Amino acid sequence: MKLKQSELAKRLGLSPQALTRHRSRPGFIEWSRIQDPEGVAWVYEPTTKYFHVVDSVIYGVQSPTESLV
């Protein structure tokens, strides 16, 4: 899944400007997971200008469903 900045900002309950400030900070992936209503972690891809769901294998982030197993 991929989202535009305005779409992810709405999902996280933020303004697009606030999301811009957070996306380049260390720890953004984990921060986005905490902010997301479904516990989904996100990563920003500057070449496409979209936010993508984090692949837990690549980034080492545990998804909410993995913690239940």
Side-chain angles (χ1 to χ4, degrees):
M1 176 179 4
K2 66 180 181 179
L3 296 177
K4 295 178 186 176
Q5 180 154 315
S6 60
E7 295 168 333
L8 183 58
K10 183 177 181 180
R11 180 181 172 104
L12 300 183
L14 303 168
S15 70
Q17 295 82 5
L19 187 55
T20 297
R21 287 192 302 272
H22 284 280
R23 73 181 186 203
S24 60
R25 293 181 180 170
F28 174 78
I29 293 172
E30 181 63 16
W31 176 86
S32 68
R33 185 187 65 78
I34 292 166
Q35 300 300 313
D36 190 276
E38 295 178 19
V40 175
W42 298 88
V43 64
Y44 180 67
E45 178 52 57
T47 58
T48 64
K49 298 185 180 178
Y50 278 93
F51 289 85
H52 298 268
V53 172
V54 170
D55 182 332
S56 61
V57 174
I58 294 172
Y59 290 96
V61 175
Q62 186 177 31
S63 75
T65 54
E66 290 173 333
S67 64
L68 299 175
V69 177

Short mmCIF file of all heavy atoms in Angstrom, two decimals:
data_model
loop_
_atom_site.label_atom_id
_atom_site.label_comp_id
_atom_site.label_asym_id
_atom_site.label_seq_id
_atom_site.Cartn_x
_atom_site.Cartn_y
_atom_site.Cartn_z
N MET A 1 0.85 -1.17 0.00
CA MET A 1 0.00 0.00 0.00
C MET A 1 0.90 1.23 0.00
O MET A 1 1.93 1.24 0.64
CB MET A 1 -0.90 0.01 1.24
CG MET A 1 -1.72 1.26 1.32
SD MET A 1 -2.89 1.49 2.70
CE MET A 1 -2.72 0.15 3.78
N LYS A 2 0.50 2.26 -0.72
CA LYS A 2 1.23 3.52 -0.70
C LYS A 2 0.22 4.66 -0.57
O LYS A 2 -0.91 4.56 -1.05
CB LYS A 2 2.10 3.69 -1.94
CG LYS A 2 1.32 3.81 -3.23
CD LYS A 2 2.28 3.98 -4.41
CE LYS A 2 1.48 4.14 -5.70
NZ LYS A 2 2.34 4.32 -6.85
N LEU A 3 0.65 5.71 0.11
CA LEU A 3 -0.22 6.86 0.32
C LEU A 3 0.54 8.15 0.03
O LEU A 3 1.74 8.24 0.27
CB LEU A 3 -0.70 6.92 1.78
CG LEU A 3 -1.58 5.78 2.28
CD1 LEU A 3 -1.90 5.98 3.76
CD2 LEU A 3 -2.86 5.69 1.48
N LYS A 4 -0.21 9.14 -0.45
CA LYS A 4 0.33 10.48 -0.60
C LYS A 4 0.47 11.09 0.79
O LYS A 4 -0.18 10.64 1.75
CB LYS A 4 -0.61 11.36 -1.42
CG LYS A 4 -0.78 10.93 -2.85
CD LYS A 4 -1.77 11.86 -3.53
CE LYS A 4 -2.09 11.38 -4.92
NZ LYS A 4 -3.11 12.23 -5.55
N GLN A 5 1.25 12.15 0.89
CA GLN A 5 1.47 12.79 2.19
C GLN A 5 0.15 13.22 2.83
O GLN A 5 -0.07 13.00 4.01
CB GLN A 5 2.40 13.99 2.04
CG GLN A 5 2.63 14.67 3.36
CD GLN A 5 3.92 15.41 3.42
OE1 GLN A 5 4.93 14.88 3.00
NE2 GLN A 5 3.89 16.61 3.94
N SER A 6 -0.72 13.84 2.06
CA SER A 6 -2.00 14.31 2.62
C SER A 6 -2.85 13.13 3.12
O SER A 6 -3.54 13.25 4.14
CB SER A 6 -2.78 15.12 1.59
OG SER A 6 -3.05 14.34 0.43
N GLU A 7 -2.78 12.00 2.43
CA GLU A 7 -3.56 10.82 2.83
C GLU A 7 -3.03 10.23 4.13
O GLU A 7 -3.80 9.88 5.03
CB GLU A 7 -3.52 9.77 1.72
CG GLU A 7 -4.20 10.21 0.44
CD GLU A 7 -3.92 9.30 -0.74
OE1 GLU A 7 -2.85 8.64 -0.78
OE2 GLU A 7 -4.78 9.26 -1.64
N LEU A 8 -1.69 10.12 4.23
CA LEU A 8 -1.12 9.57 5.46
C LEU A 8 -1.31 10.53 6.62
O LEU A 8 -1.60 10.11 7.73
CB LEU A 8 0.36 9.23 5.28
CG LEU A 8 1.01 8.58 6.51
CD1 LEU A 8 0.30 7.28 6.90
CD2 LEU A 8 2.49 8.33 6.26
N ALA A 9 -1.18 11.82 6.37
CA ALA A 9 -1.40 12.80 7.43
C ALA A 9 -2.81 12.66 8.01
O ALA A 9 -3.00 12.65 9.23
CB ALA A 9 -1.17 14.21 6.90
N LYS A 10 -3.78 12.51 7.15
CA LYS A 10 -5.16 12.33 7.60
C LYS A 10 -5.30 11.04 8.41
O LYS A 10 -5.93 11.03 9.47
CB LYS A 10 -6.10 12.31 6.40
CG LYS A 10 -7.56 12.20 6.77
CD LYS A 10 -8.45 12.26 5.55
CE LYS A 10 -9.91 12.16 5.95
NZ LYS A 10 -10.80 12.21 4.78
N ARG A 11 -4.71 9.97 7.93
CA ARG A 11 -4.77 8.68 8.62
C ARG A 11 -4.15 8.78 10.02
O ARG A 11 -4.65 8.17 10.97
CB ARG A 11 -4.03 7.62 7.79
CG ARG A 11 -4.01 6.25 8.40
CD ARG A 11 -3.23 5.28 7.50
NE ARG A 11 -3.05 4.01 8.15
CZ ARG A 11 -3.73 2.90 7.86
NH1 ARG A 11 -4.63 2.92 6.91
NH2 ARG A 11 -3.49 1.78 8.50
N LEU A 12 -3.07 9.54 10.14
CA LEU A 12 -2.37 9.66 11.42
C LEU A 12 -2.93 10.79 12.29
O LEU A 12 -2.48 10.97 13.43
CB LEU A 12 -0.88 9.89 11.19
CG LEU A 12 -0.13 8.81 10.41
CD1 LEU A 12 1.35 9.16 10.33
CD2 LEU A 12 -0.34 7.43 11.00
N GLY A 13 -3.88 11.56 11.75
CA GLY A 13 -4.46 12.66 12.52
C GLY A 13 -3.54 13.85 12.65
O GLY A 13 -3.54 14.53 13.68
N LEU A 14 -2.74 14.09 11.62
CA LEU A 14 -1.77 15.19 11.61
C LEU A 14 -2.02 16.12 10.44
O LEU A 14 -2.71 15.75 9.50
CB LEU A 14 -0.35 14.64 11.44
CG LEU A 14 0.16 13.62 12.44
CD1 LEU A 14 1.45 13.00 11.92
CD2 LEU A 14 0.40 14.30 13.77
N SER A 15 -1.40 17.28 10.49
CA SER A 15 -1.39 18.14 9.31
C SER A 15 -0.28 17.64 8.37
O SER A 15 0.69 17.02 8.84
CB SER A 15 -1.11 19.59 9.70
OG SER A 15 0.22 19.73 10.13
N PRO A 16 -0.41 17.88 7.08
CA PRO A 16 0.67 17.51 6.17
C PRO A 16 2.01 18.16 6.56
O PRO A 16 3.06 17.55 6.41
CB PRO A 16 0.19 18.00 4.81
CG PRO A 16 -1.31 17.97 4.92
CD PRO A 16 -1.58 18.37 6.35
N GLN A 17 1.96 19.37 7.09
CA GLN A 17 3.18 20.06 7.50
C GLN A 17 3.86 19.34 8.67
O GLN A 17 5.09 19.22 8.70
CB GLN A 17 2.87 21.51 7.89
CG GLN A 17 2.37 22.37 6.76
CD GLN A 17 0.87 22.19 6.49
OE1 GLN A 17 0.14 21.51 7.20
NE2 GLN A 17 0.41 22.82 5.41
N ALA A 18 3.07 18.85 9.60
CA ALA A 18 3.64 18.10 10.73
C ALA A 18 4.28 16.81 10.24
O ALA A 18 5.36 16.42 10.70
CB ALA A 18 2.56 17.80 11.77
N LEU A 19 3.65 16.15 9.30
CA LEU A 19 4.21 14.92 8.74
C LEU A 19 5.53 15.21 8.03
O LEU A 19 6.48 14.44 8.14
CB LEU A 19 3.20 14.26 7.80
CG LEU A 19 3.58 12.88 7.28
CD1 LEU A 19 3.88 11.91 8.41
CD2 LEU A 19 2.47 12.34 6.40
N THR A 20 5.61 16.33 7.33
CA THR A 20 6.86 16.72 6.67
C THR A 20 7.98 16.84 7.69
O THR A 20 9.10 16.38 7.45
CB THR A 20 6.68 18.06 5.92
OG1 THR A 20 5.71 17.88 4.90
CG2 THR A 20 7.98 18.52 5.29
N ARG A 21 7.70 17.45 8.82
CA ARG A 21 8.73 17.61 9.86
C ARG A 21 9.18 16.27 10.42
O ARG A 21 10.36 16.08 10.72
CB ARG A 21 8.20 18.48 11.00
CG ARG A 21 8.08 19.94 10.64
CD ARG A 21 7.84 20.80 11.87
NE ARG A 21 6.65 20.43 12.63
CZ ARG A 21 5.42 20.89 12.39
NH1 ARG A 21 5.20 21.72 11.39
NH2 ARG A 21 4.40 20.50 13.12
N HIS A 22 8.27 15.33 10.57
CA HIS A 22 8.60 14.04 11.19
C HIS A 22 9.26 13.05 10.25
O HIS A 22 10.05 12.23 10.70
CB HIS A 22 7.34 13.41 11.79
CG HIS A 22 6.89 14.04 13.05
ND1 HIS A 22 7.45 13.77 14.27
CD2 HIS A 22 5.93 14.97 13.28
CE1 HIS A 22 6.86 14.48 15.20
NE2 HIS A 22 5.92 15.22 14.62
N ARG A 23 8.96 13.09 8.97
CA ARG A 23 9.37 12.02 8.06
C ARG A 23 10.88 11.85 7.91
O ARG A 23 11.34 10.76 7.59
CB ARG A 23 8.72 12.20 6.69
CG ARG A 23 9.29 13.33 5.88
CD ARG A 23 8.58 13.48 4.56
NE ARG A 23 9.24 14.48 3.76
CZ ARG A 23 8.68 15.15 2.79
NH1 ARG A 23 7.41 14.92 2.48
NH2 ARG A 23 9.35 16.04 2.11
N SER A 24 11.66 12.89 8.15
CA SER A 24 13.11 12.77 7.99
C SER A 24 13.84 12.55 9.32
O SER A 24 15.06 12.43 9.34
CB SER A 24 13.67 14.02 7.30
OG SER A 24 13.39 15.16 8.07
N ARG A 25 13.11 12.48 10.39
CA ARG A 25 13.72 12.28 11.71
C ARG A 25 14.08 10.82 11.94
O ARG A 25 13.37 9.91 11.48
CB ARG A 25 12.79 12.74 12.81
CG ARG A 25 12.56 14.23 12.82
CD ARG A 25 11.64 14.62 13.94
NE ARG A 25 11.44 16.07 13.92
CZ ARG A 25 10.55 16.69 14.66
NH1 ARG A 25 9.77 16.02 15.48
NH2 ARG A 25 10.43 18.00 14.59
N PRO A 26 15.17 10.59 12.68
CA PRO A 26 15.47 9.20 13.07
C PRO A 26 14.30 8.65 13.87
O PRO A 26 13.67 9.36 14.65
CB PRO A 26 16.71 9.34 13.95
CG PRO A 26 17.28 10.68 13.63
CD PRO A 26 16.13 11.54 13.20
N GLY A 27 13.98 7.41 13.66
CA GLY A 27 12.89 6.79 14.39
C GLY A 27 11.52 7.01 13.78
O GLY A 27 10.51 6.66 14.38
N PHE A 28 11.47 7.57 12.56
CA PHE A 28 10.17 7.85 11.94
C PHE A 28 9.34 6.57 11.77
O PHE A 28 8.13 6.60 11.99
CB PHE A 28 10.33 8.52 10.56
CG PHE A 28 9.02 8.69 9.85
CD1 PHE A 28 8.15 9.69 10.21
CD2 PHE A 28 8.63 7.80 8.86
CE1 PHE A 28 6.91 9.83 9.59
CE2 PHE A 28 7.41 7.93 8.22
CZ PHE A 28 6.54 8.95 8.59
N ILE A 29 9.97 5.50 11.38
CA ILE A 29 9.22 4.25 11.14
C ILE A 29 8.48 3.83 12.40
O ILE A 29 7.27 3.56 12.37
CB ILE A 29 10.15 3.14 10.62
CG1 ILE A 29 10.66 3.51 9.22
CG2 ILE A 29 9.44 1.79 10.61
CD1 ILE A 29 11.73 2.59 8.69
N GLU A 30 9.18 3.77 13.51
CA GLU A 30 8.53 3.37 14.76
C GLU A 30 7.51 4.40 15.21
O GLU A 30 6.42 4.06 15.69
CB GLU A 30 9.60 3.16 15.85
CG GLU A 30 9.04 2.72 17.18
CD GLU A 30 8.34 1.36 17.15
OE1 GLU A 30 8.52 0.59 16.20
OE2 GLU A 30 7.59 1.09 18.10
N TRP A 31 7.84 5.68 15.06
CA TRP A 31 6.91 6.74 15.43
C TRP A 31 5.62 6.62 14.63
O TRP A 31 4.52 6.75 15.17
CB TRP A 31 7.57 8.11 15.20
CG TRP A 31 6.67 9.26 15.45
CD1 TRP A 31 6.42 9.87 16.65
CD2 TRP A 31 5.86 9.94 14.48
NE1 TRP A 31 5.52 10.89 16.48
CE2 TRP A 31 5.16 10.96 15.15
CE3 TRP A 31 5.67 9.81 13.11
CZ2 TRP A 31 4.28 11.82 14.50
CZ3 TRP A 31 4.80 10.66 12.46
CH2 TRP A 31 4.12 11.66 13.15
N SER A 32 5.74 6.37 13.32
CA SER A 32 4.55 6.26 12.48
C SER A 32 3.70 5.05 12.89
O SER A 32 2.48 5.12 12.86
CB SER A 32 4.92 6.18 10.99
OG SER A 32 5.58 4.97 10.68
N ARG A 33 4.36 3.97 13.30
CA ARG A 33 3.63 2.78 13.74
C ARG A 33 2.80 3.10 14.99
O ARG A 33 1.65 2.68 15.12
CB ARG A 33 4.59 1.62 14.04
CG ARG A 33 3.87 0.32 14.38
CD ARG A 33 4.83 -0.76 14.81
NE ARG A 33 5.49 -0.41 16.05
CZ ARG A 33 4.94 -0.51 17.26
NH1 ARG A 33 3.69 -0.90 17.39
NH2 ARG A 33 5.62 -0.19 18.34
N ILE A 34 3.38 3.87 15.90
CA ILE A 34 2.67 4.24 17.13
C ILE A 34 1.50 5.17 16.82
O ILE A 34 0.43 5.06 17.42
CB ILE A 34 3.66 4.88 18.12
CG1 ILE A 34 4.65 3.83 18.60
CG2 ILE A 34 2.93 5.53 19.30
CD1 ILE A 34 5.86 4.41 19.31
N GLN A 35 1.68 6.07 15.87
CA GLN A 35 0.64 7.03 15.51
C GLN A 35 -0.50 6.40 14.70
O GLN A 35 -1.63 6.86 14.75
CB GLN A 35 1.23 8.18 14.67
CG GLN A 35 2.31 8.97 15.35
CD GLN A 35 1.84 9.63 16.62
OE1 GLN A 35 0.78 10.25 16.67
NE2 GLN A 35 2.61 9.47 17.69
N ASP A 36 -0.19 5.35 13.95
CA ASP A 36 -1.17 4.75 13.05
C ASP A 36 -2.26 4.02 13.83
O ASP A 36 -1.95 3.25 14.75
CB ASP A 36 -0.47 3.76 12.10
CG ASP A 36 -1.39 3.28 11.00
OD1 ASP A 36 -2.16 2.33 11.22
OD2 ASP A 36 -1.35 3.87 9.92
N PRO A 37 -3.53 4.24 13.47
CA PRO A 37 -4.63 3.59 14.22
C PRO A 37 -4.62 2.07 14.13
O PRO A 37 -5.17 1.41 15.00
CB PRO A 37 -5.90 4.18 13.58
CG PRO A 37 -5.48 4.73 12.27
CD PRO A 37 -4.02 5.10 12.40
N GLU A 38 -3.98 1.52 13.10
CA GLU A 38 -3.90 0.06 12.97
C GLU A 38 -2.51 -0.47 13.30
O GLU A 38 -2.23 -1.66 13.09
CB GLU A 38 -4.30 -0.36 11.55
CG GLU A 38 -5.75 -0.04 11.23
CD GLU A 38 -6.13 -0.40 9.81
OE1 GLU A 38 -5.43 -1.21 9.17
OE2 GLU A 38 -7.13 0.13 9.33
N GLY A 39 -1.62 0.40 13.77
CA GLY A 39 -0.27 -0.03 14.13
C GLY A 39 0.62 -0.33 12.94
O GLY A 39 1.58 -1.07 13.06
N VAL A 40 0.30 0.27 11.79
CA VAL A 40 1.09 0.06 10.58
C VAL A 40 2.27 1.02 10.58
O VAL A 40 2.11 2.20 10.89
CB VAL A 40 0.24 0.29 9.31
CG1 VAL A 40 1.07 0.19 8.05
CG2 VAL A 40 -0.92 -0.70 9.27
N ALA A 41 3.45 0.52 10.26
CA ALA A 41 4.65 1.35 10.16
C ALA A 41 4.81 1.83 8.71
O ALA A 41 4.52 1.09 7.77
CB ALA A 41 5.88 0.57 10.60
N TRP A 42 5.28 3.06 8.56
CA TRP A 42 5.41 3.69 7.25
C TRP A 42 6.82 4.19 7.02
O TRP A 42 7.52 4.53 7.96
CB TRP A 42 4.44 4.86 7.14
CG TRP A 42 3.02 4.45 7.26
CD1 TRP A 42 2.30 4.33 8.41
CD2 TRP A 42 2.15 4.05 6.20
NE1 TRP A 42 1.03 3.89 8.13
CE2 TRP A 42 0.91 3.71 6.77
CE3 TRP A 42 2.30 3.96 4.82
CZ2 TRP A 42 -0.17 3.30 6.02
CZ3 TRP A 42 1.21 3.55 4.07
CH2 TRP A 42 0.00 3.21 4.66
N VAL A 43 7.21 4.25 5.76
CA VAL A 43 8.50 4.81 5.37
C VAL A 43 8.27 5.73 4.17
O VAL A 43 7.42 5.44 3.32
CB VAL A 43 9.53 3.71 5.05
CG1 VAL A 43 9.14 2.87 3.85
CG2 VAL A 43 10.93 4.29 4.87
N TYR A 44 9.01 6.84 4.13
CA TYR A 44 8.88 7.79 3.03
C TYR A 44 9.90 7.48 1.97
O TYR A 44 11.08 7.27 2.26
CB TYR A 44 9.08 9.22 3.53
CG TYR A 44 8.96 10.27 2.45
CD1 TYR A 44 7.74 10.50 1.83
CD2 TYR A 44 10.05 11.02 2.04
CE1 TYR A 44 7.61 11.46 0.83
CE2 TYR A 44 9.93 11.98 1.05
CZ TYR A 44 8.71 12.19 0.45
OH TYR A 44 8.58 13.14 -0.54
N GLU A 45 9.46 7.44 0.72
CA GLU A 45 10.34 7.21 -0.42
C GLU A 45 10.42 8.51 -1.22
O GLU A 45 9.49 8.85 -1.95
CB GLU A 45 9.81 6.06 -1.29
CG GLU A 45 10.62 5.79 -2.52
CD GLU A 45 12.10 5.60 -2.23
OE1 GLU A 45 12.45 4.71 -1.43
OE2 GLU A 45 12.91 6.36 -2.81
N PRO A 46 11.53 9.26 -1.08
CA PRO A 46 11.62 10.57 -1.74
C PRO A 46 11.58 10.51 -3.27
O PRO A 46 11.12 11.46 -3.90
CB PRO A 46 12.95 11.14 -1.27
CG PRO A 46 13.60 10.13 -0.42
CD PRO A 46 12.68 8.96 -0.27
N THR A 47 12.02 9.42 -3.86
CA THR A 47 12.00 9.35 -5.33
C THR A 47 10.59 9.27 -5.88
O THR A 47 10.32 9.79 -6.96
CB THR A 47 12.84 8.16 -5.86
OG1 THR A 47 12.32 6.95 -5.29
CG2 THR A 47 14.30 8.32 -5.49
N THR A 48 9.68 8.64 -5.14
CA THR A 48 8.29 8.53 -5.59
C THR A 48 7.39 9.56 -4.92
O THR A 48 6.28 9.79 -5.38
CB THR A 48 7.72 7.13 -5.29
OG1 THR A 48 7.68 6.93 -3.87
CG2 THR A 48 8.52 6.04 -5.97
N LYS A 49 7.87 10.12 -3.80
CA LYS A 49 7.10 11.07 -2.99
C LYS A 49 5.85 10.44 -2.39
O LYS A 49 4.83 11.08 -2.19
CB LYS A 49 6.77 12.34 -3.76
CG LYS A 49 8.02 13.09 -4.18
CD LYS A 49 7.69 14.39 -4.83
CE LYS A 49 9.01 15.08 -5.21
NZ LYS A 49 8.80 16.33 -5.90
N TYR A 50 5.95 9.13 -2.12
CA TYR A 50 4.87 8.39 -1.46
C TYR A 50 5.39 7.77 -0.18
O TYR A 50 6.58 7.49 -0.03
CB TYR A 50 4.35 7.26 -2.36
CG TYR A 50 3.35 7.70 -3.40
CD1 TYR A 50 3.76 8.07 -4.67
CD2 TYR A 50 2.00 7.74 -3.11
CE1 TYR A 50 2.84 8.47 -5.63
CE2 TYR A 50 1.07 8.14 -4.06
CZ TYR A 50 1.50 8.50 -5.31
OH TYR A 50 0.59 8.90 -6.25
N PHE A 51 4.47 7.51 0.74
CA PHE A 51 4.76 6.74 1.95
C PHE A 51 4.31 5.31 1.69
O PHE A 51 3.21 5.07 1.19
CB PHE A 51 3.99 7.32 3.14
CG PHE A 51 4.51 8.65 3.58
CD1 PHE A 51 4.07 9.82 2.97
CD2 PHE A 51 5.45 8.74 4.60
CE1 PHE A 51 4.54 11.06 3.37
CE2 PHE A 51 5.93 9.99 5.00
CZ PHE A 51 5.47 11.14 4.38
N HIS A 52 5.17 4.37 2.04
CA HIS A 52 4.90 2.95 1.81
C HIS A 52 4.86 2.22 3.15
O HIS A 52 5.56 2.60 4.09
CB HIS A 52 6.00 2.33 0.94
CG HIS A 52 6.09 2.95 -0.41
ND1 HIS A 52 5.41 2.46 -1.49
CD2 HIS A 52 6.78 4.03 -0.86
CE1 HIS A 52 5.68 3.21 -2.56
NE2 HIS A 52 6.51 4.17 -2.19
N VAL A 53 4.08 1.15 3.19
CA VAL A 53 4.05 0.29 4.37
C VAL A 53 5.43 -0.35 4.49
O VAL A 53 6.01 -0.79 3.50
CB VAL A 53 2.96 -0.79 4.22
CG1 VAL A 53 3.05 -1.81 5.35
CG2 VAL A 53 1.58 -0.14 4.18
N VAL A 54 5.93 -0.38 5.71
CA VAL A 54 7.25 -0.94 5.97
C VAL A 54 7.19 -2.45 5.88
O VAL A 54 6.30 -3.09 6.44
CB VAL A 54 7.75 -0.50 7.37
CG1 VAL A 54 9.00 -1.26 7.76
CG2 VAL A 54 7.99 0.99 7.39
N ASP A 55 8.14 -3.02 5.19
CA ASP A 55 8.32 -4.46 5.14
C ASP A 55 9.09 -4.84 6.40
O ASP A 55 10.26 -4.48 6.56
CB ASP A 55 9.10 -4.86 3.90
CG ASP A 55 9.28 -6.34 3.75
OD1 ASP A 55 9.30 -7.06 4.77
OD2 ASP A 55 9.41 -6.80 2.61
N SER A 56 8.44 -5.56 7.30
CA SER A 56 9.06 -5.86 8.59
C SER A 56 10.33 -6.68 8.47
O SER A 56 11.20 -6.62 9.32
CB SER A 56 8.06 -6.59 9.50
OG SER A 56 7.66 -7.80 8.92
N VAL A 57 10.48 -7.45 7.40
CA VAL A 57 11.70 -8.23 7.21
C VAL A 57 12.87 -7.32 6.88
O VAL A 57 13.96 -7.44 7.43
CB VAL A 57 11.50 -9.28 6.08
CG1 VAL A 57 12.80 -9.99 5.78
CG2 VAL A 57 10.41 -10.26 6.46
N ILE A 58 12.64 -6.33 6.02
CA ILE A 58 13.71 -5.43 5.61
C ILE A 58 14.09 -4.47 6.74
O ILE A 58 15.25 -4.24 7.01
CB ILE A 58 13.29 -4.63 4.35
CG1 ILE A 58 13.14 -5.58 3.17
CG2 ILE A 58 14.29 -3.53 4.04
CD1 ILE A 58 12.56 -4.94 1.93
N TYR A 59 13.11 -3.90 7.42
CA TYR A 59 13.37 -2.87 8.41
C TYR A 59 13.42 -3.38 9.84
O TYR A 59 13.72 -2.63 10.75
CB TYR A 59 12.33 -1.75 8.30
CG TYR A 59 12.50 -0.94 7.05
CD1 TYR A 59 11.76 -1.20 5.91
CD2 TYR A 59 13.41 0.10 7.00
CE1 TYR A 59 11.92 -0.47 4.76
CE2 TYR A 59 13.58 0.84 5.85
CZ TYR A 59 12.83 0.55 4.73
OH TYR A 59 13.00 1.29 3.59
N GLY A 60 13.10 -4.64 10.05
CA GLY A 60 13.16 -5.20 11.40
C GLY A 60 12.10 -4.64 12.35
O GLY A 60 12.31 -4.57 13.55
N VAL A 61 10.95 -4.25 11.81
CA VAL A 61 9.86 -3.72 12.62
C VAL A 61 8.82 -4.81 12.78
O VAL A 61 8.43 -5.45 11.82
CB VAL A 61 9.23 -2.47 11.95
CG1 VAL A 61 8.03 -1.99 12.74
CG2 VAL A 61 10.27 -1.37 11.80
N GLN A 62 8.38 -5.02 14.01
CA GLN A 62 7.38 -6.04 14.26
C GLN A 62 6.01 -5.46 14.02
O GLN A 62 5.66 -4.41 14.54
CB GLN A 62 7.50 -6.51 15.70
CG GLN A 62 6.60 -7.68 16.03
CD GLN A 62 6.81 -8.15 17.44
OE1 GLN A 62 7.14 -7.35 18.32
NE2 GLN A 62 6.64 -9.43 17.68
N SER A 63 5.21 -6.14 13.19
CA SER A 63 3.86 -5.68 12.94
C SER A 63 2.96 -6.11 14.07
O SER A 63 3.28 -7.04 14.81
CB SER A 63 3.35 -6.25 11.60
OG SER A 63 3.03 -7.62 11.77
N PRO A 64 1.81 -5.46 14.24
CA PRO A 64 0.90 -5.84 15.33
C PRO A 64 0.46 -7.30 15.25
O PRO A 64 0.31 -7.94 16.27
CB PRO A 64 -0.30 -4.91 15.14
CG PRO A 64 0.18 -3.80 14.29
CD PRO A 64 1.31 -4.35 13.48
N THR A 65 0.27 -7.83 14.06
CA THR A 65 -0.18 -9.22 13.93
C THR A 65 0.94 -10.18 14.29
O THR A 65 0.68 -11.25 14.82
CB THR A 65 -0.68 -9.51 12.52
OG1 THR A 65 0.33 -9.15 11.57
CG2 THR A 65 -1.96 -8.75 12.22
N GLU A 66 2.19 -9.81 14.06
CA GLU A 66 3.30 -10.69 14.41
C GLU A 66 3.43 -10.83 15.92
O GLU A 66 3.84 -11.86 16.41
CB GLU A 66 4.62 -10.15 13.84
CG GLU A 66 4.72 -10.25 12.35
CD GLU A 66 5.97 -9.56 11.81
OE1 GLU A 66 6.47 -8.63 12.42
OE2 GLU A 66 6.40 -9.98 10.72
N SER A 67 3.09 -9.79 16.65
CA SER A 67 3.22 -9.83 18.11
C SER A 67 2.18 -10.74 18.74
O SER A 67 2.32 -11.12 19.89
CB SER A 67 3.14 -8.42 18.70
OG SER A 67 1.87 -7.86 18.45
N LEU A 68 1.13 -11.10 17.99
CA LEU A 68 0.08 -11.96 18.52
C LEU A 68 0.39 -13.43 18.33
O LEU A 68 -0.27 -14.29 18.89
CB LEU A 68 -1.26 -11.63 17.83
CG LEU A 68 -1.77 -10.20 18.03
CD1 LEU A 68 -3.03 -10.00 17.19
CD2 LEU A 68 -2.04 -9.91 19.49
N VAL A 69 1.40 -13.74 17.54
CA VAL A 69 1.71 -15.14 17.22
C VAL A 69 2.57 -15.75 18.30
O VAL A 69 3.36 -15.18 18.91
CB VAL A 69 2.42 -15.25 15.86
CG1 VAL A 69 2.81 -16.68 15.56
CG2 VAL A 69 1.54 -14.69 14.78
#
